[in-house]
Amino acid sequence: GENVEQHPSTLSVQEGDSAVIKCTYSDSASNYFPWYKQELGKRPQLIIDIRSNVGEKKDQRIAVTLNKTAKHFSLHITETQPEDSAVYFCAASWLQGGSEKLVFGKGTKLTVNP
Amino acid sequence: GAVVSQHPSRVICKSGTSVKIECRSLDFQATTMFWYRQFPKQSLMLMATSNEGSKATYEQGVEKDKFLINHASLTLSTLTVTSAHPEDSSFYICSALDRYNEKLFFGSGTQLSVL
């Protein structure tokens, strides 16, 4: 089955700097890669996603890039703000038994220092 | 975005009792719902996949007789933790797949504490 590796596990940046989180996946058939932001004790929130037919997608300060050949995808946050501090999870879709499901990375705790 | 309602948000129970957690998609039909368990500072661990009108598919290592899942309608799935024990204490989160836009939305989670 699918395996998703996420790095780094923790990331600390100064306000205004950029943050990059990287994920690799193992199943070349995966075709959907969402990113979730989870604040302490709250539900994961979908912040951006990308499908395998595109290489990059942007939404204001957030962007995701996908390299299908290398089987890795990255989240880029520019001009970071303290409210960006949270745990971020990447995921890759995996088809099993006719049902598509997501496999999550272990998460990255991002701290943005004012 | 779509709304997924999960209740209760927090429950404390005695060892040996059963606890039911509800997950509802409020403004879309969810033919597929997922149940996860999350330990502190760890990732989401998929427990089972629930398809409306059929039996749930459990991940390896998850006891189906202990974690009963029912998905009786297109908007409701329930997880019942039977004969709960302290080791079942955890944060349980559901998610629902919106087939229209193929996106996954999460419930707010349930913190279960078994004394």
Side-chain angles (χ1 to χ4, degrees):
Chain A
E2 177 70 279
N3 183 47
V4 177
E5 298 284 337
Q6 181 173 348
H7 299 281
S9 57
T10 60
L11 179 60
S12 182
V13 300
Q14 289 298 122
E15 183 176 1
D17 288 349
S18 295
V20 181
I21 303 171
K22 298 181 179 180
C23 288
T24 60
Y25 61 98
S26 60
D27 190 344
S28 57
S30 293
N31 59 3
Y32 176 59
F33 309 92
W35 285 89
Y36 292 88
K37 174 183 179 182
Q38 186 178 28
E39 297 177 38
L40 188 63
K42 296 186 177 180
R43 78 184 81 194
Q45 297 273 17
L46 177 67
I47 55 171
I48 196 167
D49 58 6
I50 192 168
R51 295 195 179 272
S52 59
N53 56 342
V54 298
E56 184 176 2
K57 184 177 179 180
K58 287 185 179 180
D59 182 4
Q60 298 182 339
R61 297 186 296 108
I62 296 173
V64 56
T65 58
L66 171 65
N67 183 327
K68 285 210 71 180
T69 303
K71 290 190 282 189
H72 66 70
F73 56 110
S74 301
L75 177 71
H76 303 253
I77 305 174
T78 58
E79 300 173 34
T80 54
Q81 302 166 3
E83 50 264 39
D84 294 329
S85 297
V87 178
Y88 291 80
F89 293 99
C90 65
S93 65
W94 173 38
L95 191 65
Q96 181 187 22
S99 177
E100 191 163 350
K101 61 184 68 173
L102 293 177
V103 176
F104 289 86
K106 293 187 183 300
T108 297
K109 182 179 180 182
L110 173 64
T111 303
V112 180
N113 301 300
Chain B
V3 177
V4 176
S5 174
Q6 184 175 342
H7 293 281
S9 59
R10 183 179 296 274
V11 60
I12 301 172
C13 68
K14 292 182 179 180
S15 185
T17 60
S18 294
V19 175
K20 179 184 280 189
I21 303 170
E22 289 190 351
C23 182
R24 293 179 185 272
S25 56
L26 297 185
D27 50 2
F28 66 98
Q29 292 184 336
T31 53
T32 304
M33 290 187 173
F34 304 90
W35 288 94
Y36 304 82
R37 187 171 180 176
Q38 188 176 32
F39 292 101
K41 300 182 180 180
Q42 293 192 24
S43 188
L44 298 148
M45 291 176 53
L46 180 64
M47 298 175 64
T49 301
S50 167
N51 291 299
E52 185 265 337
S54 62
K55 290 184 177 180
T57 302
Y58 290 82
E59 296 301 303
Q60 192 173 9
V62 178
E63 300 175 59
K64 61 180 181 181
D65 294 330
K66 181 165 191 62
F67 299 99
L68 300 179
I69 292 172
N70 183 279
H71 192 162
S73 77
L74 287 172
T75 59
L76 174 64
S77 177
T78 61
L79 168 68
T80 301
V81 183
T82 62
S83 186
H85 292 284
E87 58 265 28
D88 298 325
S89 299
S90 188
F91 193 56
Y92 293 87
I93 308 179
C94 69
S95 67
L97 182 65
D98 185 341
R99 284 291 184 189
Y100 177 73
N101 58 24
E102 297 182 327
K103 293 184 188 295
L104 195 67
F105 297 94
F106 283 85
S108 53
T110 298
Q111 183 65 54
L112 172 63
S113 299
V114 184
L115 305 178

